[in-house]
Amino acid sequence: MTEPQFDIDDMLEQFHTWLEAQSKDSLADYAERLTDQVPESTPLGMVLCLANNQDSLLAQTLAALTEGNGVLWPRAQPDDPVQTQALRVGLPLPIKAQITLTDWNPSLDTEPDPLPQAVLYTGDADALAHLRQKISQWPHQPVTIISCPEDIEDDFDIPLAQLQR
């Protein structure tokens, strides 16, 4: 059984504090709700977060980390210049340490390094279809794709159980 490489409760507390300091009240509330959902199951491993806005990327990251997974962020997110490098720099160290940046993006004919075990995706249906086609060419299969609603910033309803083994 693979254990998380970090203290989930401490990470959630620090993420919550940071989100409040950034005046991201909805995300801070989401982080607080997640404290009651810390799993006792096995994490998937590395989760690639693809979002069309910063709040969606942070919500995906919270969900993946809450389940004990590592997080992979492309330096440039699809559809929207989320500025992941600058966002990552501002995060508290325990959170930043769990996020790996990759130069991969869905328009490339390569695989991300490291290869993720799951992908959290927020965006339009056409881009999702393109992403599914790209992922089908990756060397290890299957890779779970969890498509989140485009209005994720309103409810942050990410199916956490899909981020566990």
Side-chain angles (χ1 to χ4, degrees), residues 48-112:
L48 175 63
C49 295
L50 298 174
N52 57 2
N53 63 66
Q54 191 176 78
D55 284 355
S56 293
L57 181 63
L58 290 169
Q60 290 175 355
T61 300
L62 266 166
L65 291 175
T66 296
E67 297 305 312
N69 297 293
V71 172
L72 187 61
W73 282 2
R75 291 182 198 280
Q77 292 284 323
D79 301 331
D80 184 17
V82 177
Q83 301 175 347
T84 53
Q85 292 180 63
L87 178 61
R88 184 177 172 273
V89 166
L91 290 170
L93 185 58
I95 298 157
K96 185 183 341 186
Q98 302 308 316
I99 299 170
T100 302
L101 292 177
T102 180
D103 289 324
W104 179 87
N105 70 57
S107 65
L108 298 175
D109 288 329
T110 60
E111 303 91 31

Side-chain angles (χ1 to χ4, degrees), residues 25 42 44 48 62 85 101 105 110 120 124 133 146 154 157:
D25 298 330
T42 305
L44 284 175
L48 175 63
L62 266 166
Q85 292 180 63
L101 292 177
N105 70 57
T110 60
L120 279 170
D124 68 49
Q133 188 270 333
I146 303 164
D154 294 333
D157 189 22

Side-chain angles (χ1 to χ4, degrees), residues 17-39:
T17 301
W18 181 82
L19 289 165
E20 281 185 330
Q22 304 301 310
S23 299
K24 293 188 173 287
D25 298 330
S26 295
L27 279 164
D29 291 344
Y30 180 57
E32 191 170 341
R33 284 195 323 265
L34 289 176
T35 59
D36 296 331
Q37 300 181 36
V38 175

